[in-house]
Amino acid sequence: MGSPHWKRLCLLLLAGLTSSLLLYTHYYTTVESPTSQRIIASLLQPEPLVLAPSGTPHRRWALGGSSESGNSFKPSAELEEPEPSRQQPRTCLHSVMARAKADPKFGEIFRFDTPVLMWDQHFTLATWNRLRTRHVPYGWQGLSLAVVGSTLRLLNASANRHLFDRAALPGGCVRCAVVGNGGILNGSRQGQAIDAHDLVFRINGAVIKGFEEDVGTKVSFYGFTVNTMKNSLIAYEEYGFTRIPQAKDLKYIFIPSDVRDYVMLRSAIQGSPVPEGSDKGDEPQKYFGPEASAEKFKLLHPDFLQYLTARFLRSEILNTQYSSLYMPSTGALMLLTALHTCDQVSAYGFITANYEQFSDHYYEVEKKPLVFYANHDMMLEAALWRSLHRAGIITLYQR
Ligand SMILES: *[C@@H]1O[C@H](CO)[C@@H](O)[C@H](O)[C@H]1NC(C)=O
Ligand SMILES: *[C@@H]1O[C@H](CO)[C@@H](O)[C@H](O)[C@H]1NC(C)=O
């Protein structure tokens, strides 16, 4: 971070002060809430659209200039170092990357050089101008430059640039388990197998107490949007989800689906109460524990979310009146994050072809049918997991 960086930052902040009058805050309300509007499967195609191969035109998908459509985003040399999100593993046979590249269909879909995380050096005028044309979670449309800028500025630790430090993990292959909360895990006795992975990702209402045998106890990453995190604390409290997982080595992955994610992340790093917006007054320590530091938090890059949606989960919902609400589920985003960072990935508790046999979540005592929300496309996600499993790119737990 030389002085050019600071000069540019000052200019940007100055611009922010003047332009913030013109900007408004766009509250993107997702409907991933147990009590809110839900649209049952009729909205969704029974046999959903398959994956979009590269080069497919962006039909009605109005996310604006994506890097893949050749839109002129040139990172300014000294600020946005091209830092691949992962290095080629040296001694890992059968890695996700190797298998994906060898697969005729997925070889065309995966782009392993897409940045996964966002950090301070992404805060440039070029990025601002590009991302302000796309709505959240794919961009910054309607967000205040001051909020985005002051949040990204804090993500300046080397830990903010990669999900994990490869050198700190033993062996040639980084093996990851991503644990969804599906009812298939009830009675599965997969706890030991899950914990045997190098890294374990969990999401939303990840109840552990009482389910150790089935889901294990290890948590390396907890992924969420502030909306899904807070909804989980309310909806699953009765099942014992009374606090967000906390541990010394646990890292939090923020999915920036709303301005409140940026605001909460900033306060979490600063260790101070949320000063504005819908979470005003919240104490981040209540969720994330006493350690407030940039190292503890990761932020998914809006370009990564755009890439995942456009290439892996381009739903037919995008052609309906609900298109602006649509985004892949938290579980899908975490599983795809693992696929772009780990060498081997197992998925537990994700939707399978026989999902009707299982309860919505593993901790329910009485069977509840899986709930389909208008903002997700679980059938499309199910088809994706199935075909990734068939291609040998993930191991999907099924029974
Ligand atoms: C990151 O930013 C904070 C606050 O501006 C500063 O105190 C800290 O020294 C910076 N850390 C690095 C590694 O640059
Ligand atoms: C989950 O397993 C427990 C223990 O076997 C059982 O009591 C409970 O009914 C199961 N829940 C569902 C929804 O099947």
Side-chain angles (χ1 to χ4, degrees), residues 186-187 211 214 359 361-368:
N186 191 14
F211 293 90
D214 290 341
S359 194
H361 301 103
Y362 58 78
Y363 32 80
E364 280 136 8
V365 183
E366 301 210 338
K367 189 177 168 192
K368 289 189 181 172

Side-chain angles (χ1 to χ4, degrees), residues 31-79:
V31 291
E32 187 167 298
S33 145
T35 50
S36 60
Q37 177 193 15
R38 60 179 72 157
I39 305 292
I40 311 296
S42 65
L43 218 179
L44 312 170
Q45 306 295 316
E47 259 316 309
L49 187 74
V50 262
L51 314 165
S54 75
T56 300
H58 279 203
R59 284 186 296 163
R60 291 191 51 213
W61 184 225
L63 286 184
S66 72
S67 43
E68 73 206 35
S69 69
N71 221 327
S72 60
F73 174 51
K74 292 272 188 295
S76 77
E78 79 277 23
L79 291 180

Side-chain angles (χ1 to χ4, degrees), residues 1 6 153-154 156-158:
M1 283 212 307
W6 279 105
R153 197 164 45 101
L154 296 173
N156 63 350
S158 65

Side-chain angles (χ1 to χ4, degrees), residues 42-257:
S42 65
L43 218 179
L44 312 170
Q45 306 295 316
E47 259 316 309
L49 187 74
V50 262
L51 314 165
S54 75
T56 300
H58 279 203
R59 284 186 296 163
R60 291 191 51 213
W61 184 225
L63 286 184
S66 72
S67 43
E68 73 206 35
S69 69
N71 221 327
S72 60
F73 174 51
K74 292 272 188 295
S76 77
E78 79 277 23
L79 291 180
E80 275 196 67
E81 300 158 2
E83 179 153 351
S85 51
R86 60 189 281 181
Q87 308 102 8
Q88 187 88 37
R90 279 157 310 203
T91 55
C92 191
L93 292 172
H94 312 305
S95 68
V96 166
M97 195 189 275
R99 295 210 170 199
K101 284 183 172 168
D103 186 88
K105 179 174 67 173
F106 286 109
E108 294 297 308
I109 294 172
F110 275 89
R111 288 288 175 267
F112 287 101
D113 56 356
T114 305
V116 172
L117 299 178
M118 176 166 253
W119 61 87
D120 66 334
Q121 291 183 339
H122 292 113
F123 186 53
T124 65
L125 194 54
T127 306
W128 170 256
N129 284 332
R130 195 169 53 85
L131 292 184
R132 68 192 295 194
T133 65
R134 291 191 213 143
H135 67 74
V136 286
Y138 312 106
W140 293 335
Q141 195 173 85
L143 304 191
S144 118
L145 185 141
V147 166
V148 173
S150 57
T151 303
L152 294 190
R153 197 164 45 101
L154 296 173
L155 296 171
N156 63 350
S158 65
N160 298 123
R161 299 181 181 204
H162 42 247
L163 214 52
F164 51 84
D165 182 4
R166 219 162 242 288
L169 293 165
C173 287
V174 178
R175 298 176 60 243
C176 296
V178 187
V179 186
N181 300 323
I184 193 171
L185 287 175
N186 191 14
S188 69
R189 303 183 154 264
Q190 292 302 302
Q192 280 190 355
I194 290 170
D195 286 350
H197 290 77
D198 297 307
L199 299 166
V200 178
F201 293 66
R202 297 183 196 263
I203 50 167
N204 295 339
V207 179
I208 288 177
K209 197 161 179 290
F211 293 90
E212 294 86 348
E213 264 196 63
D214 290 341
V215 305
T217 58
K218 191 166 175 173
V219 194
S220 316
F221 299 104
Y222 176 78
F224 58 94
T225 71
V226 171
N227 181 50
T228 65
M229 175 185 82
K230 290 178 75 168
N231 281 341
S232 296
L233 284 169
I234 297 165
Y236 311 121
E237 186 187 14
E238 61 174 306
Y239 304 110
F241 191 70
T242 51
R243 64 166 216 180
I244 302 305
Q246 293 177 8
K248 187 174 161 289
D249 293 325
L250 195 164
K251 311 289 184 212
Y252 297 100
I253 303 177
F254 274 73
I255 300 167
S257 76

